[in-house]
Amino acid sequence: MHNLTVTVIIPFHNARETLQAALDSVLSQTYDQLEIILIDDGSSDGSGELADVLAASPMREGRIVKTLHQEDLGVSVSRNRGTLAAEGGYITFLDADDTMDPGMIAYLVRLLRETGADIAGCGFQSVSAKKPPEEIPEPDAGEKIPHRLLQGSEIAREIIMRHDTRVWSKLFTRKTALSARFQEGLTIGEDMLYVLSCAGPETKYAAAAAPLYRYTVNPEGAMNRPFTRSYMDQLRCWELALTRIGAVFPELLQDRNFCGSLGSVQAVSAVLAASKISLLPGKERRAFADCLRTCRERVKDALSNPDVRENLPAGYGAKTSLLLHAPALFGVMTRVAQNCKNASEGLK
């Protein structure tokens, strides 16, 4: 396959309602050389069969669509399988309920070529039925794309301090994409760990702001569902991130601002998990008492660094204090706040 081909990896599980729109947004790209890999992760709603039909449809020259099927093994397994199957010189990822601006891939390929970077990234816009996507004009071919060029530890700093943890909206050279693997078994945080694992001392990342990826706001997404033990993955992923940073970029652990930001993210993740537990019915809540203890321990560990508190988002100073010193009151306040929110939304 031509080394300028871009492989787009689209894993999906029960995505019959959105899969075609996702694929159509790739087929509508202004960039010509595309390999699209649809990975059916144990779907039971007919989306696997739909993918086969879509892959067998006539394509423009330079476009290839392939379908892979597997048991329900999770998005990380799907992405790893897609990466290993990819034949393109560049690799990117698209979630099956999202879409791309028609010029996104051409924009990111051009950014890689202009900068000689290993990773190129753009911004995103959140879309929904109430908020359709905004069309973004393609940049003038005679002008360089505005960007920030980061290298090595600067990439890790970007991930933590600017929360640039997305794997989608990024284009990787083949060598860079194959240098890392998604952490199988994690359901939250696997994107961040993958991007961090792609970053070595010589890695270059060109970050642009144009919002060319269209992220679909899903009220039933993983972050909006009731608490399950898998939600604790977000705490585990930051432990793994700290291990990676210590091994590859140890100098960052001497940086007060960086450590304050990292500790803040860890504390906020623990508070969010504890809030999820607090919203469960009493019997279920008690069944996750061990998880709540772990959340409190993570907050305590994070706040042992005095630089963390000043990096906490507004309101989280009080939340962390309540969780540590008055967990029962933390639970009551969380439920009251949720009831007020529900009542407010009901009036709209």
Side-chain angles (χ1 to χ4, degrees):
M1 184 168 286
H2 199 283
N3 65 358
L4 294 181
T5 296
V6 172
T7 298
V8 183
I9 297 170
I10 309 177
F12 64 91
H13 174 77
N14 291 345
R16 186 172 180 84
E17 300 303 316
T18 63
L19 182 61
Q20 180 148 12
L23 176 60
D24 287 347
S25 79
V26 182
L27 295 174
S28 299
Q29 292 294 300
T30 58
Y31 194 80
D32 287 329
Q33 299 296 318
L34 296 173
E35 175 192 44
I36 305 158
I37 303 179
L38 307 173
I39 305 174
D40 170 22
D41 186 34
S43 297
S44 58
D45 68 341
S47 49
E49 292 78 3
L50 173 62
D52 288 334
V53 171
L54 295 173
S57 302
M59 298 289 161
R60 238 168 66 192
E61 185 178 353
R63 310 292 176 90
I64 298 172
V65 181
K66 304 174 182 177
T67 303
L68 303 177
H69 298 275
Q70 64 185 34
E71 299 175 14
D72 185 359
L73 300 174
V75 68
S76 290
V77 174
S78 300
R79 286 172 173 164
N80 284 335
R81 188 178 179 192
T83 303
L84 292 175
E87 297 184 43
Y90 304 108
I91 294 174
T92 190
F93 302 90
L94 175 66
D95 285 354
D97 56 350
D98 296 339
T99 58
M100 297 174 171
D101 182 272
M104 187 186 112
I105 290 178
Y107 182 93
L108 293 178
V109 170
R110 182 179 156 195
L111 186 55
L112 283 182
R113 291 177 185 172
E114 286 182 359
T115 61
D118 307 285
I119 308 169
C122 64
F124 70 97
Q125 52 178 305
S126 297
V127 301
S128 66
K130 296 180 180 178
K131 187 180 177 183
E134 173 188 349
E135 292 297 331
I136 308 298
E138 291 196 33
D140 191 318
E143 297 181 7
K144 289 189 176 296
I145 295 173
H147 67 277
R148 291 175 298 116
L149 187 60
L150 310 169
Q151 181 171 334
S153 63
E154 294 175 327
I155 302 173
R157 187 183 297 276
E158 180 83 0
I159 291 169
I160 304 303
M161 300 187 75
R162 288 180 175 263
H163 309 293
D164 186 4
T165 60
R166 310 177 297 276
V167 67
W168 41 261
S169 79
K170 290 181 174 64
L171 181 67
F172 301 82
T173 63
R174 178 182 181 82
K175 179 181 178 181
T176 303
L178 291 173
S179 71
R181 286 180 62 81
F182 287 91
Q183 184 81 28
E184 297 180 5
L186 286 182
T187 58
I188 301 174
E190 72 282 356
D191 285 26
M192 179 272 293
L193 286 173
Y194 178 81
V195 178
L196 186 60
S197 296
C198 285
E202 304 302 319
T203 307
K204 294 180 181 179
Y205 169 37
L212 300 174
Y213 188 95
R214 297 166 176 174
Y215 171 78
T216 302
V217 178
N218 181 3
E220 298 181 359
M223 299 301 288
N224 295 316
R225 294 173 192 152
F227 181 86
T228 63
R229 287 191 181 273
S230 64
Y231 201 85
M232 298 296 285
D233 286 353
Q234 64 177 321
L235 276 65
R236 174 63 177 153
C237 80
W238 290 112
E239 293 176 358
L240 294 171
L242 183 60
T243 299
R244 169 73 181 178
I245 291 166
V248 182
F249 306 117
E251 68 275 15
L252 287 177
L253 300 185
Q254 306 303 316
D255 184 315
R256 289 182 59 181
N257 287 336
F258 179 83
C259 290
S261 292
L262 178 58
S264 171
V265 172
Q266 292 172 308
V268 168
S269 297
V271 168
L272 291 173
S275 298
K276 287 274 190 182
I277 296 169
S278 299
L279 294 175
L280 293 172
K283 185 176 180 181
E284 293 181 42
R285 191 162 63 241
R286 289 188 290 274
F288 293 118
D290 59 322
C291 294
L292 187 60
R293 283 195 298 271
T294 299
C295 293
R296 295 179 68 201
E297 290 167 2
R298 294 296 179 271
V299 169
K300 184 178 180 180
D301 290 344
L303 295 182
S304 65
N305 179 348
D307 296 316
V308 169
R309 278 205 178 275
E310 63 186 57
N311 282 279
L312 289 172
Y316 276 87
K319 289 178 181 179
T320 54
S321 293
L322 275 176
L323 180 58
L324 277 180
H325 304 297
L329 182 57
F330 171 88
V332 171
M333 296 298 290
T334 299
R335 291 188 287 277
V336 167
Q338 185 63 45
N339 289 337
C340 290
K341 180 182 177 182
N342 292 343
S344 174
E345 291 176 349
L347 293 174
K348 292 180 181 179

